[in-house]
Structure formats: structure tokens, C-alpha cells
Amino acid sequence: MDLLRNSYANDSDDEEPEPVNDNNRLKSITDTPSLPSKRPYPEPEEGHYRPARKPNPPYNSNPDPPVPGRYVSKRERSLLASLSTVPTQNQSSDLIQKPSVSSPTVLGSISDSQVPRHVLSPKGSSFRTGMPSRMSVSLTGHAKAVTSIDWSTSHVHLLASSGLDGAVYVWNVWSSGEKKVRAFLHHNAPVKDVKWSKQGLSLLSCGYDCTSRLFDVERGVETQAFKEDQVVGVVKFHPDNVNQFLSGGVKGSLRLWDIRSNKVVHEYIKDLGPVLDVEFMACGKRFISSSDVSGRNISENAVIVWDVSREVPLSNQVYAEAYTCPCIKHHPRDSVFIAQSHGNYTAIFSTNPPFKLNKYKRYEGHWVAGFPIKCNFSPDGETLVSGSSDGYIYMYGYKSTELIKKLKAYEHPCVDVAYHPVLSNVIASCSWDGQVSVFE
């Protein structure tokens, strides 16, 4: 017992045991492995005693991988492992590397609190005359070509735009903060046209996904979708009935929709090419359509005047030249309408039967060159403004048809232009490379 007590009393591995007289006992004791406090087990020689090691706890035999982001206790890991709901490490990393991306619709405020007073007051427009001469606001956001822009007539500080990137944006033009205040990404294909309702904050768009979509701009939500069997290229609200709109598509179909019932009220069927533009006249009793005739090499049906209620064409030989007209606009006061022609000019027509072409006057100087170049009248009807494939904005006198001013806007084609509904010296425009600008 004394020998054993002396041997185990030495706790240090660095010190050798005290010598004893009984060499056989000393050898048997030193050969027996002890449990060191600092070093791992020494490997005993062959034939010597190997002590049995304590087995690992059951929960460490096959440990679950830790869940990233927070601490998980052993009891919770055991419970989750029994329910087979704990994702593997690869799955967890995939969830982190590929998060679900959601694009919010409401990006800013549509309030007019920061809008200049002369913009909100129609009386102030009389002090703002003259032609636009410089770019005052640049609005960036579209990744591809912008196809259409439109000012709101009820909220004159808001501008809408649509693009081939599938986006419809609403801009608070004069805001000192975020100018892109709404982003409607509900279309899953390029968007061709966008129009404001004359009442309230409703916005209508259409595109290559064969739908027309109605948005509530104040809430930032889509309220309705109108599905068709064709790509929809143009939409237009009825001037006297806010619950109806007209749509035209690439199959040549023209349909008058009722928003309340989500059904087609009238359909205008004729052997047409893709519909490029529509415009109401005569207080909504008639409308004009233009369609693509380039594939047919004929002038018939290029511009057609329709009777809304009877669903029949009143004239289908309005434009005798074999050019496609990508834009139709009605004068705000006089009984005339214009058609932008791919012949690089804008033709003038009468809105009264037999809808004759004015052979003595036309607006020339700008270039269309195959692009969907649009034009527009000023609110007072004294000026016509047109985009151009050379990137300029052309301004003509309405009565004289003479070029008043030519303003360089972009390096790429200027696709659409729109006068401000209140200020006669403010014009919005967009380009084929995705820019939206305001000039004054």
C-alpha cells in the first residue's frame, strides 16, 4: 500500500517516480497507464493493458449542422432532427445566397406639397409662356426604350411612362426627394402604351403579355387585368365615360371595354394589320384608328374613321399614300386631326365627312425612319410638337405649319413628346435608350 500511495502521489508527468527496491512491482505499476491531466493517452506496447475509453454522448454521434444566423441549443437540434425539418447546410447556404427579391410598388410620395405654385394653379400658366429651351428634370429608371409618356390632367405634377423593360413608372416631377414614386411591374413582357384617366388616380397600360392592366396609383396596386388573344399595342380612355376604354392589337382587333364588368362592349372587326394608334373625336361618338399596311403594300385601311355605337367604318380610304402612321392626334379646338407618317411628315385631315386630306399643308422637317415617333398638340392648340429619329424635338406653328424651334434632346431617337396640361412652356419627352426628360 505504501508503494501504491507513493506512486500515485506524483501527479506531474515531468517528474520521474521515486525508486523502490522491488523492481518487479515498480515495472508493473509504471506500465499501467494513468489518466494524465495535460497530455493524451500514450499508446501502450503490444500485449499490455488497454483501458476502455468512455464512449461519446449519443447526441454527438451524428451531430446536426448548425443553422446560420442564430444559436440552436442541443435539445432544440434533437427535436428538429426528429421532425426532419432542419435544413442541411447546403440548403441553408442556398437560402442565403438566393434570397427572394420583391420590388415594392410604392417608392415615394405623390403629394403635391413640394410642387411650385404656378404648376398647380391654371391661372399661373399665363405668366409662363414661350418655347421650352433647356432640360430642367432628368428622370432615370427604365432599363430599355421608353415607349410612351402621359401627363395626369387631374394631378398635373405626375408623369407616367412605360417601357420595353416591362415597367410602368409614375414620376413626381418637381419633388425634391424621390421622383420615381410608383413602380408597377405587373406586366411580364414589354409595355407598349400607358394612359391616365381624366378622373382620379387611375392608370391604364398594355403590352406584349396580351393584357391591359388598370392601376390605382394612390394605393399602388393593380385593380384589374383585361386579357386578350393578341398583343395589345395601344389603349385610350373614352373621353366622356371613364368606365370605358378602347384597345387595339397586332391581330387588327379593336375592342371597347367596360371596366365595371370586365367585358367587351363593342368589337370592330375588319381585315386590318397591327393597330398602331387610336384617337376619339366628336365627343366620343367616333374614333380614328391607324394600322400597319407595310406588309400589304396598299393604302386602304391605313387610317379608318369608325362609328362607335354601330361598329362600322365610316371611311377606310382617308389616307391614300402607302405609309404607316404610328400616331394619330385630334386638335383640342378645331375640327382637324393629324397623322404622323413614316414618309417623314405629319399629315392634316378634316374630322368632318368625307375626312379629306389637306393637300396644301403638312408638317415637315423631322424624321421618323421606321421608329414609332409620336407627336402632340399644346393645350391651347397653337403649337405642334414632334419627336424625331435624330434625337431632336421639333416645334411647329399649328396654322402656319412652319418650324418654330428645334431642340436637341438625345443622342438616340426621341420617341414620344407631351405638352404639360397647364404650362405651355413645359414639355416631357422620352428616348429609345430609356431616358425621360422634362424641358422648360
Side-chain angles (χ1 to χ4, degrees):
M1 294 298 295
D2 294 338
L3 293 176
L4 291 174
R5 186 183 300 110
N6 294 333
S7 176
Y8 285 106
N10 186 9
D11 295 334
S12 175
D13 290 284
D14 298 330
E15 297 179 359
E16 295 182 359
E18 296 179 1
V20 294
N21 295 328
D22 195 346
N23 294 331
N24 294 331
R25 288 186 177 182
L26 179 61
K27 185 176 183 302
S28 63
I29 293 173
T30 55
D31 288 346
T32 303
S34 61
L35 297 176
S37 60
K38 298 181 180 180
R39 295 180 182 178
Y41 284 112
E43 290 296 330
E45 297 179 1
E46 185 177 356
H48 287 260
Y49 168 74
R50 295 176 179 265
R53 298 186 181 184
K54 184 182 293 185
N56 292 327
Y59 53 81
N60 286 332
S61 59
N62 188 17
D64 294 323
V67 178
R70 69 181 182 90
Y71 170 76
V72 181
S73 64
K74 297 178 181 179
R75 180 178 298 177
E76 185 178 357
R77 273 191 290 176
S78 300
L79 178 60
L80 293 176
S82 63
L83 298 176
S84 301
T85 57
V86 179
T88 62
Q89 188 171 2
N90 294 333
Q91 292 173 344
S92 301
S93 61
D94 291 340
L95 293 175
I96 297 174
Q97 295 173 1
K98 300 177 182 179
S100 59
V101 179
S102 60
S103 300
T105 301
V106 179
L107 304 177
S109 173
I110 61 173
S111 172
D112 57 2
S113 59
Q114 299 178 349
V115 180
R117 183 176 300 177
H118 68 271
V119 177
L120 300 177
S121 175
K123 296 181 181 179
S125 61
S126 59
F127 300 100
R128 294 273 178 160
T129 59
M131 306 300 293
S133 59
R134 63 179 180 85
M135 180 188 296
S136 60
V137 180
S138 178
L139 307 171
T140 58
H142 284 283
K144 295 183 180 180
V146 183
T147 55
S148 180
I149 55 174
D150 194 36
W151 287 101
S152 172
T153 56
S154 59
H155 299 74
V156 294
H157 60 293
L158 299 180
L159 177 71
S161 64
S162 62
L164 295 182
D165 55 357
V168 176
Y169 293 143
V170 177
W171 311 87
N172 193 341
V173 175
W174 286 279
S175 173
S176 60
E178 179 65 43
K179 297 185 183 297
K180 186 201 297 183
V181 293
R182 297 291 185 272
F184 299 104
L185 307 178
H186 300 74
H187 288 275
N188 53 23
V191 185
K192 287 285 292 180
D193 197 13
V194 62
K195 290 291 189 300
W196 283 98
S197 173
K198 290 186 177 181
Q199 296 182 3
L201 284 167
S202 296
L203 196 64
L204 185 66
S205 65
C206 65
Y208 281 91
D209 58 351
C210 302
T211 63
S212 301
R213 299 178 183 270
L214 188 66
F215 304 105
D216 187 324
V217 176
E218 186 173 8
R219 294 186 298 156
V221 296
E222 179 188 272
T223 56
Q224 282 178 272
F226 308 88
K227 298 182 180 180
E228 300 197 31
D229 59 348
Q230 61 178 352
V231 171
V232 187
V234 59
V235 288
K236 186 80 174 183
F237 276 105
H238 194 282
D240 292 338
N241 190 347
V242 294
N243 294 313
Q244 293 182 349
F245 72 91
L246 189 65
S247 68
V250 297
K251 292 184 179 180
S253 297
L254 291 155
R255 299 182 174 103
L256 186 66
W257 291 83
D258 191 295
I259 295 175
R260 294 163 296 186
S261 62
N262 203 327
K263 294 182 179 180
V264 177
V265 179
H266 296 291
E267 187 168 4
Y268 309 89
I269 301 174
K270 194 173 176 58
D271 187 19
L272 301 176
V275 178
L276 303 177
D277 201 7
V278 292
E279 178 76 335
F280 283 99
M281 63 179 186
C283 299
K285 297 179 181 179
R286 302 170 184 168
F287 74 89
I288 316 160
S289 68
S290 65
S291 57
D292 189 1
V293 296
S294 59
R296 301 165 183 251
N297 197 25
I298 57 175
S299 59
E300 187 178 357
N301 301 333
V303 177
I304 301 178
V305 180
W306 298 83
D307 187 283
V308 173
S309 60
R310 292 189 296 165
E311 303 180 357
V312 295
L314 301 177
S315 178
N316 63 339
Q317 294 182 345
V318 178
Y319 188 48
E321 299 188 31
Y323 290 117
T324 297
C325 300
C327 180
I328 303 288
K329 292 296 179 183
H330 180 263
H331 193 273
R333 296 179 181 177
D334 292 348
S335 299
V336 300
F337 70 91
I338 59 173
Q340 183 82 280
S341 172
H342 277 295
N344 296 323
Y345 65 89
T346 304
I348 306 173
F349 301 87
S350 172
T351 58
N352 299 320
F355 316 107
K356 288 186 177 181
L357 168 69
N358 190 333
K359 298 180 180 179
Y360 305 100
K361 287 185 177 181
R362 62 170 60 174
Y363 304 95
E364 297 179 309
H366 59 281
W367 292 85
V368 182
F371 287 92
I373 304 298
K374 299 180 182 180
C375 54
N376 220 319
F377 284 106
S378 60
D380 57 7
E382 296 297 324
T383 309
L384 173 70
V385 62
S386 175
S388 180
S389 61
D390 58 3
Y392 281 84
I393 297 175
Y394 289 77
M395 287 162 272
Y396 301 91
Y398 160 63
K399 295 182 178 180
S400 64
T401 68
E402 294 181 357
L403 180 63
I404 300 175
K405 192 169 186 178
K406 179 180 174 182
L407 181 63
K408 180 64 175 179
Y410 311 105
E411 297 298 329
H412 294 78
C414 179
V415 180
D416 196 4
V417 286
Y419 264 101
H420 191 271
V422 174
L423 304 176
S424 60
N425 70 318
V426 176
I427 292 177
S429 64
C430 61
S431 74
W432 199 247
D433 64 343
Q435 300 183 58
V436 180
S437 308
V438 176
F439 294 83
E440 61 179 305

